[in-house]
Amino acid sequence: MLKSYREVADQEFEAAKANFPSEEVSGAEEKLGMGTADKEFDTIKSFTWTFGGTGSVKINKVQDVSLNKTPKINLDIEEVTGVLRCDNLATGTVTIKKANILYMHDTCKSKVKVDECNCLIILKDGSATEYTVGKVGAK
C-alpha cells in the first residue's frame, strides 16, 4: 500500500526529531492570534501564531514555533533550537538565521529564508513560495 505525502513527511519528521533533539530553552510561552501584532522577544520557550494573526515579530532565541493559518506575517528569528512547524502561511516572510528542524506545509505566496538548519521538510509548498536556504545538515 502506498503512503500519502503527509504520511511520508510525518515519518521523516519523527526521524528528524530523533536525530536532532531539541535544545531546551527556558522562558515564556507566547501566543498571538487574531489581529495585528508588532512584538519583539529575547529568549522564549515557545511561540505560537494562530488563525488570523498578522504583523511583525522578532525573536532572538526560541525552542519551538508553531504557525497556523496566518494570513500575512513578517517573522524574523535568530535561532530555533527545537522545531518550527508551519501549517498554512498565506502570504508572509519568514527569516531564520539558525534552526534545528523546519517542517513547512502549505506556505502559499511566501518568502522563506533560512541561513542554516539541520533538517528542512517541505510538504506542499503552496502556489508561489520562494525558498532561500543556505546550509542544511549543520550538525
Side-chain angles (χ1 to χ4, degrees):
M1 183 171 161
L2 292 175
K3 291 183 180 181
S4 70
Y5 291 120
R6 170 71 81 178
E7 289 172 321
V8 171
D10 287 345
Q11 186 177 27
E12 290 300 317
F13 180 57
E14 291 305 315
K17 289 192 300 185
N19 288 329
F20 306 108
S22 296
E23 175 189 317
E24 291 294 320
V25 174
S26 60
E29 294 184 6
E30 299 289 343
K31 184 175 182 179
L32 297 174
M34 292 290 283
T36 303
D38 186 11
K39 301 267 186 179
E40 195 166 320
F41 303 103
D42 185 29
T43 301
I44 56 178
K45 175 81 173 168
S46 67
F47 177 71
T48 302
W49 212 341
T50 62
F51 182 77
T54 63
S56 294
V57 170
K58 183 173 175 60
I59 303 170
N60 185 43
K61 187 174 187 177
V62 60
Q63 183 174 328
D64 294 314
V65 176
S66 175
L67 306 175
N68 191 3
K69 296 182 180 165
T70 49
K72 186 168 183 168
I73 65 168
N74 182 17
L75 179 61
D76 187 0
I77 302 174
E78 286 291 320
E79 184 176 9
V80 177
T81 66
V83 175
L84 182 145
R85 185 167 181 142
C86 177
D87 288 299
N88 193 290
L89 172 62
T91 306
T93 303
V94 177
T95 304
I96 304 165
K97 291 227 190 302
K98 184 178 180 183
N100 189 30
I101 300 170
L102 304 173
Y103 186 110
M104 309 301 286
H105 173 245
D106 200 16
T107 50
C108 300
K109 297 177 181 177
S110 300
K111 291 185 180 184
V112 178
K113 182 178 183 286
V114 181
D115 289 348
E116 177 182 330
C117 68
N118 290 323
C119 180
L120 171 61
I121 298 167
I122 301 171
L123 173 64
K124 189 180 173 210
D125 68 349
S127 58
T129 301
E130 178 184 309
Y131 283 94
T132 305
V133 181
K135 185 177 176 183
V136 177
K139 276 190 179 178

